[in-house]
Amino acid sequence: MSVAQSSSWTSFLKSIALFNGDLLSLTAPPFILSPTSLCEYSQYWAEHPELLVSPASLNISDEASNSEKSAMAEKRLIAVLKWFISTLRSQYCSRSESMGTEKKPLNPFLGEVFVGKWTGAATGDENAGETVLVSEQVSHHPPVTAYAVLNDKNGVKLQGYNGIKSWISATSINVQQFGHAILEVGPESFLITLPPLHIEGLITASPFVELEGTSYIQSSSGYIAKLDFSGRGYFSGKKNTFKARVFPDLLSSQNKESAICTIAGQWLGKSYITKGGSTPKKTDILFYDAHSPATHLKVKPIEEQHQLESRKAWAKVADAIAKSDYDLIHKEKSLIENSQREMRKKEEESGIPWKARWFDEVDYEQGPDHDAFLNLCNLALLSIKNAPSGTAKKAKHDTGSAKHWRFNREKWDGESEIKV
Ligand code: 0T9
């Protein structure tokens, strides 16, 4: 009997069909469990550190004309777009590539952290300098991970947070992403929205991720990129395809003929670029090849890690998963869950609530009225609410709170217990 027909898989599918809410809290059969915590997924933003920092070198002197400056800002947006496309393979496909299928990540506990770094040498590019990842689980119910990626040498800072809402349809799990990323390169900033996705291959117990919908990259210079994803071959009959267009501003993006350039292809493979609004062909200039190898970050050996660090905290569960020992997995997970329950109880009793270590939850309805995020949302006419990523202002989902997680550099610089 195949795993797809096993009662453990079919009853897991039934529990997904019946569930309401948090996918990560469901019990799944061992063969579909990943030994990696979702808190680690933030690392996928920088597995091509040289592309992340590349916009920093696209500068021009203050004396240059406005049109020369504007041409540079356009180049920087295209460089950010290339980096963003380079993150997708790691983000959405690395589990399938290393473990054969998408797997269910470990459900991070509140206050779990994951830190690590990429050195310039590892990327084969000394100019890249050191890039540091700081990731923290800022909410357990629902799961929310906040992160920052810092490259001080090049004045590059990426920060953001992720949450999901999901529901099941006939053959797939549909996932809406919440949160966004903000990239700062010197004085310039970019807002990046996260695309919806779905998980296919459930019936055959070989799940994989496919992207859909739209991502926006809005630059503070005005330039905007719109990326459309498809797995159904709207563009080429292939899986994992996207088409991206770069426009001088939001207004001009209403008309594809106003596009400065169009990039199309597969985010798992090659994409091509051409001027204007028409779709590039394979004979056009290669834009990006996703086969270029990812650089994994360096993480301290487990013995040197703090209790709160993902790999140390989950080491015994990960061992049990490697052995496919269902009882042991359950036992080790329960130890973590029970100690978490104890901590929440103590916080309740003492009246001292848990506080994020390196991040603050900022309420934009109370707080700053002038800020990079608000400025970028205004340029792109995107909602400032904690709505599905990419929601437009005044759209149906443009409701609810305007609270977002933000990195607090002072807290990180003052960190004395957890080192990269
Ligand atoms: C942020 C990313 C996110 C997290 C994962 C949906 C998913 C959890 C969230 C959105 C990252 O930047 C990008 C990549 C993959 C996303 C995961 C894929 C996935 O399957 C899980 C969900 C919770 C499951 O594990 C469903 C159970 C199982 C049937 C799939 C193996």
Side-chain angles (χ1 to χ4, degrees), residues 362 364 366-376 378:
V362 174
Y364 281 87
Q366 313 280 317
D369 50 16
H370 193 78
D371 148 285
F373 171 67
L374 291 175
N375 173 40
L376 293 164
N378 281 335

Side-chain angles (χ1 to χ4, degrees), residues 4-5 9 13 170-171 200-206:
Q5 293 158 316
W9 183 250
L13 287 185
T171 56
E200 297 180 39
L202 295 174
I203 308 298
T204 53
S206 44

Side-chain angles (χ1 to χ4, degrees), residues 12 19-20 23 89 139 142 156 164 180 184 203 275 300 302-303 306 319 328 332 337 339 370 381 397:
F12 175 57
F19 98 121
N20 48 1
L23 267 181
R89 187 175 180 128
S139 169
V156 174
I164 59 167
H180 49 252
E184 286 164 80
I203 308 298
K275 278 191 182 153
K300 296 185 300 283
I302 285 182
E303 313 80 68
H306 190 275
D319 279 348
L328 194 58
E332 294 296 346
E337 284 158 11
S339 89
H370 193 78
L381 288 183
H397 294 292

Side-chain angles (χ1 to χ4, degrees), residues 329-345:
I329 296 170
H330 182 74
K331 188 182 140 233
E332 294 296 346
K333 271 193 181 171
S334 298
L335 285 175
I336 294 179
E337 284 158 11
N338 292 340
S339 89
Q340 284 292 314
R341 239 169 258 135
E342 248 346 276
M343 283 164 73
R344 299 293 89 78
K345 221 170 102 191

